[in-house]
Amino acid sequence: MTTEIDKRLVPAADRAPNSWGLGDGAAIPWEYAPAPEARDIVTIKERYGLFIGGREVQASDGETFATIDPSTELPLARVARATSVDIDKAVRAARRAQRRSWGTLAGNERAKYLFRIARILQERSREFAVLESMDSGKPIRESRDVDVPLAAAHFWYYAGWADKLDYAFPGRIARPLGVAAQIIPWNFPLLMLAWKIAPALAAGNTVVLKPASTTPLSALLFADVCVQADLPPGVVNIVPGPGEVGMSLVTHPGVDKVAFTGSTEIGKKIQRGIAGTDKALTLELGGKAANIVFDDAALDQAVEGIVNGIYFNQGEVCCAGSRLLAQESIVEPLIEKLKDRLATIRVGDPLDKNTDVGAINSKQQLERITELVASGVAEGAELYQPPCDLPERGYYFRPTLFTNVAQSHRIANEEIFGPVLSVLTFRTPDEAVEKANNTAYGLSAGVWTEKGSRILEMASRLKAGVVWANTFNRFDPTSPFGGYKESGFGREGGMHGLHAYVRLEDR
Ligand code: NDP
């Protein structure tokens, strides 16, 4: 009996994009009706200031920059561009708050503020999700179901630790480090803010945070949450601005701890910039994760995991499963299923609830992806992109699959940070480990197999901070996340994430 919807009866090449073939083999193209999320849930101001000492202030020289919607290329707002004078003010405000209010507050009192922030984030979740999708280009489905709930979950989780530091570090006294300088990227703006601010505050630190220039708006809306939660002035300061502003922040002598998420290149610059000081440092940098599929894996499930691993958030994910390592005996059916699945991926308006892949965050990032994909073709890999229409305006890129990839190709080595999957093959578990670890990075990996013993064996041999088994891109505030080698050092999330914000003393 044929099933009601059986895509395999219609070869992908014969089907119209986003269509399902019916049991009689006929291809019936049909489209989802547009399901746009309402934009008016969020009020986007024409101009935003910096958030220093609990107040919105303009930059010392009055300069601003534009942040645009990458799905339309139209400006959303102008944002104050911090100067080194503003950085100094923000660090001083954070220092004062750390000494006078936040650092002297009992843990259970700090917890109350964090619980309040978590609750407000949940209450205002739609507002945050829409704003995040507009400013970053990510699909509303993801900002609504992943970014915002996880950001709130981090505040809930670390609120729970604020009065239990003695249990987190038994036999030791956990003291806050002081003022934390935090620099976050554009791929998960609110979530990275939560990863950084929640543990810092729980441990009694105050923060100065610089969001990425292309995505400052959710951090500035978060400033509003801090005011709504009655957070003492200066505990959280937000200073949008370009890379130099980030550098003057991390090198400011009043900063005790630096936490950075972004490219390996800038991570190294920061490390050099603060060398010789006693600032604590955590770096969460790039990745080139291997997603390894063994011949005993449930293939349909693996296909979903591969798709989620690389096309989630347009592939702009540091732990994206950008290298598929498929066991030779199953590579053909696996690629066939993948191509079939790719034909159903919907690329388009980030605010449409049906969209799977939204807009690339910036023109610069789109150019980088385009250049690396061209290098893949030039070096001899075989390119596959499903036929799909891209919107006329905005920064879009088709989900891309490369087969015939050699280990030496740039697309097998460099972080593309886009919806591009490179497929390599292996014969034995040893070869899989060797190829997976043959990278400068070491952030994450995935293993697909029915055998529990093989999962454990592979997890112990893969040089990656996170190894997912029969799933990919799963995050939880209780679980530490971080890398080896050029993916950085230090962990965020869980008790490990708390450790990065305390100085432990003997009792
Ligand atoms: P960057 O590393 O430049 O940006 C990350 C953050 O660092 C942003 O807030 C940025 O500010 C800031 N920054 C830039 N220069 C400096 C500096 N000299 N000192 C201090 N802070 C600085 O990443 P890009 O946006 O340039 O992306 C380039 C590549 O990096 C991507 O293609 C991807 O491969 C990788 N990347 C990895 C990320 C990850 O999560 N691991 C996240 C983002 C990018 P501003 O936005 O103002 O430049």
Side-chain angles (χ1 to χ4, degrees), residues 183-188 192 210-215 241-248 250 260-267 269-270 284-287 316-319 361-362 364-365 368-369 415-417 441 443 487:
I183 299 189
I184 55 170
W186 40 261
N187 52 344
F188 292 92
M192 290 302 106
K210 190 198 93 62
S213 293
T214 55
T215 53
E244 308 95 84
V245 165
M247 193 47 92
S248 64
V250 298
F260 172 79
T261 299
S263 62
T264 299
E265 183 198 344
I266 301 297
K269 269 193 191 167
I270 289 177
E284 201 267 273
L285 310 173
E316 296 166 327
V317 183
C318 47
C319 52
N361 181 257
S362 65
Q364 190 191 16
Q365 187 60 23
R368 180 177 160 76
I369 297 168
E415 184 178 47
I416 302 176
F417 230 60
Y441 298 107
L443 194 55
S487 294

Side-chain angles (χ1 to χ4, degrees), residues 166-280:
D166 287 349
Y167 300 98
F169 309 106
R172 318 290 305 274
I173 304 174
R175 306 249 185 244
L177 294 172
V179 174
Q182 306 181 320
I183 299 189
I184 55 170
W186 40 261
N187 52 344
F188 292 92
L190 181 71
L191 186 57
M192 290 302 106
L193 173 150
W195 279 28
K196 299 226 164 356
I197 293 185
L201 264 47
N205 304 274
T206 54
V207 308
V208 181
L209 177 133
K210 190 198 93 62
S213 293
T214 55
T215 53
L217 295 186
S218 54
L220 294 167
L221 189 60
F222 182 80
D224 204 38
V225 171
C226 295
V227 174
Q228 195 181 340
D230 248 340
L231 198 68
V235 174
V236 168
N237 303 274
I238 296 177
V239 285
E244 308 95 84
V245 165
M247 193 47 92
S248 64
L249 171 60
V250 298
T251 53
H252 191 290
V255 162
D256 304 295
K257 149 91 191 175
V258 175
F260 172 79
T261 299
S263 62
T264 299
E265 183 198 344
I266 301 297
K268 287 181 180 174
K269 269 193 191 167
I270 289 177
Q271 199 171 14
R272 282 195 293 272
I274 65 169
T277 70
D278 61 356
K279 294 176 200 226

Side-chain angles (χ1 to χ4, degrees), residues 39-111:
R39 285 161 194 247
D40 54 6
I41 181 88
V42 59
T43 306
I44 301 183
K45 299 192 292 184
E46 262 174 47
R47 282 175 80 103
Y48 288 83
L50 315 168
F51 184 64
I52 298 179
R55 286 190 309 124
E56 182 176 353
V57 295
Q58 294 312 313
S60 61
D61 61 3
E63 288 293 318
T64 59
F65 65 95
T67 181
I68 66 157
D69 177 343
S71 72
T72 60
E73 302 172 49
L74 297 173
L76 287 170
R78 290 205 73 82
V79 175
R81 181 187 194 277
T83 63
S84 52
V85 173
D86 301 313
I87 294 297
D88 187 53
K89 281 187 195 154
V91 173
R92 283 171 194 277
R95 173 67 60 199
R96 262 195 311 278
Q98 210 281 326
R99 286 216 178 111
R100 294 188 195 157
S101 58
W102 198 249
T104 58
L105 217 54
N108 61 340
E109 292 300 322
R110 290 199 304 271

